[in-house]
Amino acid sequence: MLNIVLFGPPGAGKGTQSGKLVKKYGLVHLSTGDIFRYNIKNETKLGTLAKFYIDKGELVPDKVTIEMLQSETQKYRDAKGFIFDGFPRTIAQAEALDTFLNEKNTQVDLMLSLDVAENELVKRLLLRGKDSGRADDSNEEIIRNRIQVYNDQTAVAASYYDKQNKYFPINGEGTIDTIFDQLCKVIDRFN
Ligand code: AMP
């Protein structure tokens, strides 16, 4: 199996690059943000709970997020591997993912982190908000809060993987294809 954590602040391009990586490597893409939005659209209990946090730009509580991610992962028993996009976002989530994958005799192989300057992130998210209809992409105050939450609670997850020599920062500014090439270069060393 090849399990990749695609990391980076909101607006770094994780979704775009995941789509390309899935095509090239045949991995299953699990985006916790997408799964929450699917649940919100379908008005599930989980969706109602998640919406309360997402609309403010806060993190959904760890327990709920971890349980959801685990049950999603179980749906793909024959997967060649996973791209975890938007997960883990806290140390507790990173630890839970390790435990869960270890139980399945597998592990996170690498964390690829897309680095993008804050002003560029805000610009990208406001632009995306015009088309996506995402409330959390349309309001600059919420966007800045999401970036703050990333800096305060999520960025530390990089050091968690760095300690295991699994952390690979990538310049997330440039063309989609240049960034993709850099990601592939790292992955091909593991594949
Ligand atoms: P994203 O699509 O990854 O930008 O996620 C959108 C929103 O979903 C985030 O701002 C959080 O409110 C929530 N969310 C997504 N993934 C997680 C996670 N791993 N932990 C907690 N909240 C999350």
Side-chain angles (χ1 to χ4, degrees), residues 9-11 14 31-34 36-37 50 53-62 65-66 68 85-90 93 125 128 134 136-137 146 149 154:
K14 300 186 293 294
S31 154
T32 39
D34 284 352
F36 284 135
R37 281 184 289 278
Y53 297 95
I54 292 177
D55 283 354
K56 294 189 290 192
E58 302 288 338
L59 294 184
V60 178
D62 279 338
T65 307
I66 290 166
M68 176 196 82
D85 161 2
F87 186 96
R89 260 176 156 100
T90 61
Q93 291 181 16
L125 288 169
R128 183 168 82 183
R134 277 179 61 172
D136 62 343
D137 280 348
R146 287 164 65 201
V149 166
T154 303

Side-chain angles (χ1 to χ4, degrees), residues 116-133:
V116 177
E118 175 159 345
N119 282 345
E120 173 67 16
L121 294 173
V122 175
K123 220 167 64 189
R124 287 186 190 180
L125 288 169
L126 285 171
L127 198 68
R128 183 168 82 183
K130 283 189 189 156
D131 295 328
S132 70

Side-chain angles (χ1 to χ4, degrees), residues 167-185:
Y167 167 68
F168 297 88
I170 304 279
N171 181 358
E173 296 190 42
T175 68
I176 290 175
D177 287 336
T178 326
I179 299 163
F180 182 63
D181 286 346
Q182 292 179 71
L183 294 172
C184 293
K185 270 198 193 119

Side-chain angles (χ1 to χ4, degrees), residues 43-63:
E43 299 178 346
T44 67
K45 217 170 120 190
L46 173 65
T48 310
L49 189 146
K51 191 175 185 322
F52 175 78
Y53 297 95
I54 292 177
D55 283 354
K56 294 189 290 192
E58 302 288 338
L59 294 184
V60 178
D62 279 338
K63 187 171 183 295

